[in-house]
Amino acid sequence: KKIITLFLHNDPLEMRGSKTIKDRENLLSLSSKIYCVSKYIKQRFLKGITHDREKVVVLYNGIIPFCNKMPKKEKTVIFVGRVVKEKGIHLYVEAIKNISKKFNDWKFKIIGSSTLGENKYKDSFSKNMVEKFNKIGKNTYVLGYLPPIDLKEIMKKSSIIVIPSTWQEPFGLVAAEAMSFGVAIISSKVGGLSEVISNGGILIENIDSNKIEKSLISLLTCKKLLDKFQESSWKNFRFHASVSSKSLDKHRKELIT
């Protein structure tokens, strides 16, 4: 008998072939195990499913930590991700526009482009965001897409990351990476992000630019609070690649024995 396993990194209710209960029942009948990247994705897959539910398990993404001790921080706030509306970059831009002059000893950065792996802003939305952010002041920087090693160097030194996603993130890899560097997190409370961050950051329901602005001001004006959230981020990181690998190995052994 063939052993077929399926790995889900996106919302099954949004993907062709798994949108309906019948689709998902069919996938379950064909699969020995279905791995979901978060509890949120698992819940989505099991919506309306009554049989073979035990075949569906959570297997979190894992990353290899870059630092073995808390890195020293600079006065930098970052946004990391694609410059598209569902990532909430417009909310970040608006919040920074309102506070950058008051905190002129801080740097505010956007890292990412509209297309992963390219340094191009092809559509009107991304062009508008970049133009708007660059005009804010001398302490705002658009760095575009960066190779992983360069991104890690910036993340390591950054004090705060804003993750203002307006869609239901399946996991939240950027959040996990930021936590491995002890970056204080301000994030929307959506999808898998709340699982990843848990007690390790500021989670905002129904996020908007005003809520981001208030959260930023609270951290930028109180070093003690900023230190607390950086420490919390660092201590709550648990998504080690080695843990994910061991978990997958365990499942595989169960399937072949």
Side-chain angles (χ1 to χ4, degrees), residues 24-145:
R24 283 174 276 126
E25 283 177 340
N26 182 49
L27 288 172
L28 272 171
S29 70
L30 295 170
S31 305
S32 302
K33 193 76 77 176
I34 294 177
Y35 302 101
C36 299
V37 79
S38 62
K39 288 177 188 172
Y40 169 74
I41 294 299
K42 180 184 174 181
Q43 286 163 3
R44 296 288 282 171
F45 186 90
L46 290 174
K47 195 173 182 182
I49 299 291
T50 55
H51 301 293
D52 291 330
R53 291 173 65 93
E54 72 285 348
K55 285 185 177 182
V56 186
V57 297
V58 175
L59 182 70
Y60 288 117
N61 281 328
I63 63 174
I64 300 168
F66 206 59
C67 304
N68 54 17
K69 64 177 183 178
M70 177 75 126
K72 288 182 180 178
K73 299 297 180 188
E74 296 174 357
K75 288 188 171 184
T76 303
V77 178
I78 56 173
F79 167 95
V80 178
R82 287 182 301 121
V83 182
V84 292
K85 196 163 189 179
E86 59 264 31
K87 292 292 185 182
I89 188 165
H90 54 296
L91 306 176
Y92 174 73
V93 171
E94 194 61 32
I96 301 309
K97 189 181 83 173
N98 294 337
I99 67 166
S100 67
K101 285 182 175 64
K102 186 179 177 182
F103 300 98
N104 57 13
D105 55 335
W106 281 77
K107 291 177 181 177
F108 303 94
K109 298 178 179 180
I110 289 174
I111 302 165
S113 63
S114 54
T115 311
L116 190 67
E118 288 186 349
N119 248 325
K120 294 175 183 175
Y121 303 96
K122 298 174 181 177
D123 58 290
S124 57
F125 176 81
S126 62
K127 284 176 184 174
N128 181 39
M129 286 299 103
V130 168
E131 194 177 312
K132 201 172 177 182
F133 198 70
N134 278 329
K135 281 182 179 175
I136 291 172
K138 291 179 180 178
N139 57 339
T140 57
Y141 307 83
V142 179
L143 305 184
Y145 170 81

Side-chain angles (χ1 to χ4, degrees), residues 201-256:
I202 298 170
L203 286 166
I204 302 171
E205 286 190 24
N206 304 313
I207 200 162
D208 60 32
S209 59
N210 288 330
K211 291 175 183 176
I212 294 169
E213 188 181 329
K214 283 178 185 174
S215 296
L216 277 169
I217 289 170
S218 70
L219 296 182
L220 296 176
T221 53
C222 181
K223 179 73 166 64
K224 194 176 178 182
L225 190 64
L226 178 58
D227 289 345
K228 178 195 161 189
F229 276 103
Q230 287 173 348
E231 189 69 26
S232 183
S233 172
W234 176 257
K235 284 183 175 175
N236 279 280
F237 171 74
R238 64 190 191 282
F239 300 98
H240 294 268
S242 57
V243 174
S244 296
S245 295
K246 283 173 187 172
S247 178
L248 182 56
D249 287 343
K250 186 185 173 190
H251 284 298
R252 282 176 173 160
K253 280 176 186 174
E254 287 171 2
L255 290 175
I256 59 175

